[in-house]
Amino acid sequence: MRILVTGGAGFIASHIVDRLIAEQHEVCIVDNLSTGKQENINPAAIFYNLDIRSEHVLEVFEDFNPQIVIHHAAQISVAHSVSDPSLDASININGTINILDCCYKTGVRKIIYASSAAVYGYPEELPVEESAKLSPLSPYGLSKLTPEFYIQLYSNLHGLKYTILRYSNAYGERQDPRGEGGVISIFLDNLLTQKEIQIHGDGTQTRDFIYVKDIVNANIAALTKGENCIVNISTQTEISVKELFEMMCKILEIDASPKYMDERVGDIKYSSLSNRQARSILGWTSQFTLYQGLKETINYYQNICV
Ligand SMILES: NC(=O)c1ccc[n+]([C@@H]2O[C@H](COP(=O)([O-])OP(=O)(O)OC[C@H]3O[C@@H](n4cnc5c(N)ncnc54)[C@H](O)[C@@H]3O)[C@@H](O)[C@H]2O)c1
């Protein structure tokens, strides 16, 4: 298939591109390299260094004529979304509308959209089902949620098919610890460079960490399944930040202690997404335990650090 991937120079979508190319798909990437990296770009993909809000994106769609679009380009920093909500909305909302317009104008069959657990806000029940209340706590959460409605509207108006994947906390190779890196990439970077590890609160807060290769599998499943569905992609397993830290130290064979800081205002205490729908609709299951995913990720970082 001809598949256009936005954000394909970034952490998650570069892994998706690699897999699509390994499976003999023709791939075109649109990415402005704002957080993405040239070295993540698979050389077998056609690459356009372009902002998803640009009017030139339509020319790319006309040239490449994709059948499927996998949309991952986004402003992903919660902190930046709070300090500059207009820019966040411009990229995540207006950028997605531009991509949807291009899909409609060039007859794209389906869009797969990377959404986030951030659309839910404080969970009322765990694990959070897709039908739970949508009440984002940050401009980022809202700018990831709003495109979901645009996508459904384009589907109703123009027949564009979609699968919306709401990821829990992602981790894995190529995640940048400097930007809005997830806690795992930040811990790992600090542990490998012998910097202090800071944990906000008492470390009993829990998260549901999903390995990037599991996310890739979900996107591959969504190429042919999950038509017009919204699906969480998660392990449905809670682990505390303290336990995570201990597991990472064990794999690294490091004896370290974290520094406990004040709790951050607004932080969610317990988080886990139900993956029941992903299993039944996409036939997808998480293949990697946190321990396995961490081992692969740690191996990767140890190899690039030597
Ligand atoms: N990392 C997570 O834990 C997580 C969780 C839930 C959802 N997501 C979603 O997954 C997607 C990918 O996230 P990631 O962690 O790989 O982030 P990332 O920053 O590594 O990737 C985003 C990519 O989009 C590109 N980009 C940003 N703004 C752009 C613009 N205006 N025009 C063109 N390209 C632009 C960046 O250069 C980068 O390559 C995002 O949509 C994010 O909201 C991520």
Side-chain angles (χ1 to χ4, degrees):
M1 276 192 277
R2 280 184 314 281
I3 304 174
L4 187 145
V5 182
T6 73
F11 158 48
I12 296 174
S14 64
H15 287 274
I16 297 171
V17 169
D18 289 350
R19 175 74 175 277
L20 292 172
I21 284 172
E23 295 194 358
Q24 312 296 325
H25 295 287
E26 278 179 69
V27 180
C28 170
I29 294 171
V30 173
D31 195 302
N32 68 355
L33 299 182
S34 52
T35 55
K37 297 193 186 95
Q38 188 77 45
E39 69 250 33
N40 290 346
I41 296 174
N42 190 308
I46 305 165
F47 170 55
Y48 291 91
N49 186 340
L50 208 53
D51 194 299
I52 51 166
R53 294 165 293 174
S54 162
E55 62 193 33
H56 297 298
V57 176
L58 181 58
E59 292 156 30
V60 173
F61 273 68
E62 283 167 346
D63 274 359
F64 184 66
N65 196 19
Q67 293 152 303
I68 295 203
V69 169
I70 299 184
H71 179 36
H72 278 64
Q75 188 304 111
I76 66 151
S77 162
V78 171
H80 290 168
S81 81
V82 172
S83 62
D84 194 347
S86 299
L87 180 66
D88 174 73
S90 159
I91 298 170
N92 293 358
I93 301 174
N94 294 349
T96 303
I97 294 172
N98 193 32
I99 294 297
L100 286 170
D101 251 346
C102 294
C103 288
Y104 158 59
K105 285 176 180 155
T106 62
V108 170
R109 196 175 65 73
K110 179 174 187 178
I111 185 165
I112 300 169
Y113 171 64
S115 188
S116 165
V119 301
Y120 294 114
Y122 290 113
E124 286 173 351
E125 264 177 65
L126 290 176
V128 179
E129 302 274 347
E130 290 81 352
S131 55
K133 194 171 89 186
L134 300 169
S135 186
L137 301 172
S138 65
Y140 169 75
L142 188 55
S143 73
K144 292 302 293 181
L145 175 60
T146 308
E148 291 193 6
F149 293 111
Y150 273 99
I151 289 168
Q152 291 169 80
L153 200 62
Y154 268 71
S155 179
N156 291 338
L157 289 175
H158 307 300
L160 175 67
K161 307 275 185 259
Y162 66 86
T163 302
I164 293 169
L165 303 174
R166 291 179 181 155
Y167 307 148
S168 60
N169 292 68
Y171 72 97
E173 298 91 320
R174 300 184 190 152
Q175 188 169 31
D176 192 341
R178 281 154 307 194
E180 186 70 359
V183 59
I184 291 180
S185 66
I186 295 170
F187 278 6
L188 195 48
D189 191 49
N190 288 358
L191 284 168
L192 291 174
T193 53
Q194 285 152 25
K195 283 194 218 123
E196 183 180 80
I197 302 281
Q198 298 182 346
I199 293 182
H200 292 272
D202 61 4
T204 57
Q205 66 270 39
T206 62
R207 294 293 178 266
D208 177 342
F209 294 104
I210 182 83
Y211 186 43
V212 68
K213 289 184 183 168
D214 274 329
I215 293 183
V216 170
N217 287 339
N219 278 269
I220 298 297
L223 292 176
T224 51
K225 295 181 202 143
E227 199 162 287
N228 298 350
C229 291
I230 301 180
V231 182
N232 290 335
I233 299 300
S234 66
T235 59
Q236 203 179 304
T237 307
E238 283 180 77
I239 178 156
S240 74
V241 172
K242 193 164 174 279
E243 287 169 309
L244 166 73
F245 174 78
E246 287 162 1
M247 195 184 280
M248 291 177 77
C249 287
K250 190 172 159 213
I251 296 172
L252 282 161
E253 297 175 0
I254 289 178
D255 187 16
S257 312
K259 182 174 177 195
Y260 289 96
M261 316 286 288
D262 286 344
E263 215 167 288
R264 275 191 303 213
V265 183
D267 262 3
I268 290 175
K269 185 77 184 168
Y270 304 112
S271 176
S272 160
L273 301 187
S274 163
N275 61 23
R276 196 167 49 93
Q277 298 272 55
R279 283 182 275 125
S280 67
I281 293 173
L282 295 179
W284 172 93
T285 48
S286 161
Q287 302 288 310
F288 295 85
T289 62
L290 181 61
Y291 187 81
Q292 290 167 326
L294 280 177
K295 271 206 97 134
E296 293 212 9
T297 308
I298 286 172
N299 275 344
Y300 167 84
Y301 282 106
Q302 281 179 322
N303 287 335
I304 57 172
C305 280
V306 289

